[in-house]
Amino acid sequence: MTDINARSVTNLSAIPKEEYLYKCTSACAGCSSSLCLRYVLKAAGSDSVLVVPACCTSVIQGIYPGTAMNVPVYNVAFAAAAACASGMSEAFAAMGRETNVIVYAGDGGTVDIGIQALSGAFERGTNFLYICYDNEAYGNTGMQRSGSTPLGARTTTTPGGKPTTKKDLDRIVEAHNPPYMATACSAYPLDLYKKVEKALSIEGPKFIHILAPCPPGWRYPTEKTVEMGKLAVKTGTWILYEREFGKLSISGPSKAAMKRPALLEDYIKGQGRFKNVSPETLDLMRQQVQQNIQRLAREEAGVC
């Protein structure tokens, strides 16, 4: 288990220099999920094992026998990640080892195909960290829609725009009462680092949901990845928070954004997947953002 005091940092320059994800991965230009994984592993340290179901990270790690990974990785079937991690965690415990067991899975392998294994592992109280990096589609197979694809977004299987809303994965996980869960975004690496660090210091099942903008899937220029993530937070489309033993705390960047969110249009106008979205759909998207902001603000304030 990570020694939170030994690795605690307050700014980006103080993050450990060790690299557990080497340069020259097979990631697309501008990929934010590989950026997230870099900081996840820096926070976790060398005594960690990744469990990776089918997803973009299965491709990013490279072609056998070469690999960009500097920690052990188990590549498993789409539906099996949390089940595999559950057994692995029990085995390490039986051996008296405190190795970090981390699932690093995409949204397709979490909100759709892997959700039953995720639910089972959380119900059993498995001591592990499950991270869902969410690019809001099946990225490694050509951007088909997933349950996490937002309303109105065009994918290869929703060419006219997705007619239904994004599945609320966080509220599903919350129903399992984990000791720690959080949201993060690739555009805020220090926030992500600290949340991984804290999660790994707590016993039991932990969950972090990361928004990971995707240039080819969201159809924006590769150099706009960080800007896109920041716009998601500033518009309130993605709210950063932690939930520790049931208590909700909104993270700094979102506290300001929730008081005066930027226009939703600022976020979606630069993404080709929302091209020609109808005024009616845009209005529904605004309502969803506002409802989510109000719900979380009320909860943090202790107002039912």
Side-chain angles (χ1 to χ4, degrees), residues 93-109:
M95 296 167 65
R97 292 180 55 177
E98 296 186 342
T99 300
N100 299 311
V101 177
I102 303 172
V103 171
Y104 196 71
D107 50 291

Side-chain angles (χ1 to χ4, degrees), residues 68-87:
M69 300 292 195
N70 192 22
V71 294
V73 178
Y74 276 68
N75 289 287
V76 297
F78 244 132
C84 175
S86 204

Side-chain angles (χ1 to χ4, degrees), residues 4-5 15 51 73-74 82 84-85 88 97 99 105 120 122-124 139 154 156 165 171 194 230 242 252 263 288:
I4 190 170
N5 295 317
I15 287 179
V51 179
V73 178
Y74 276 68
C84 175
M88 189 180 293
R97 292 180 55 177
T99 300
F122 273 65
E123 186 269 333
R124 289 189 295 274
R154 295 171 184 265
T156 54
T165 58
R171 295 176 87 177
K194 289 180 176 179
K230 286 189 179 292
E242 295 176 282
L263 293 175
Q288 290 172 3

Side-chain angles (χ1 to χ4, degrees), residues 268-280:
I268 67 171
K269 68 183 179 185
Q271 302 178 45
R273 63 176 179 161
F274 290 116
K275 186 178 180 181
N276 298 327
V277 67
S278 70
E280 294 78 15

Side-chain angles (χ1 to χ4, degrees), residues 272-291:
R273 63 176 179 161
F274 290 116
K275 186 178 180 181
N276 298 327
V277 67
S278 70
E280 294 78 15
T281 299
L282 182 58
D283 188 52
L284 285 173
M285 293 165 70
R286 286 197 200 96
Q287 291 180 38
Q288 290 172 3
V289 169
Q290 194 58 35
Q291 288 169 1

Side-chain angles (χ1 to χ4, degrees), residues 156-214:
T156 54
T157 49
T158 55
K162 187 172 177 241
T164 56
T165 58
K166 181 183 178 94
K167 190 185 293 184
D168 196 337
L169 174 65
D170 300 322
R171 295 176 87 177
I172 295 172
V173 172
E174 180 192 343
H176 293 74
N177 295 314
Y180 182 84
M181 62 180 291
T183 57
C185 177
S186 57
Y188 298 86
L190 184 58
D191 178 73
L192 170 61
Y193 179 95
K194 289 180 176 179
K195 286 172 176 172
V196 172
E197 187 180 57
K198 182 184 286 186
L200 291 174
S201 71
I202 296 171
E203 190 80 9
K206 289 82 63 176
F207 178 78
I208 298 179
H209 191 183
I210 307 173
L211 182 68
C214 170

Side-chain angles (χ1 to χ4, degrees), residues 6 11 16 46 59 77 113 155 167 226 298:
N11 57 69
S46 59
V59 178
I113 302 172
T155 67
K167 190 185 293 184
V226 171
R298 284 197 303 269

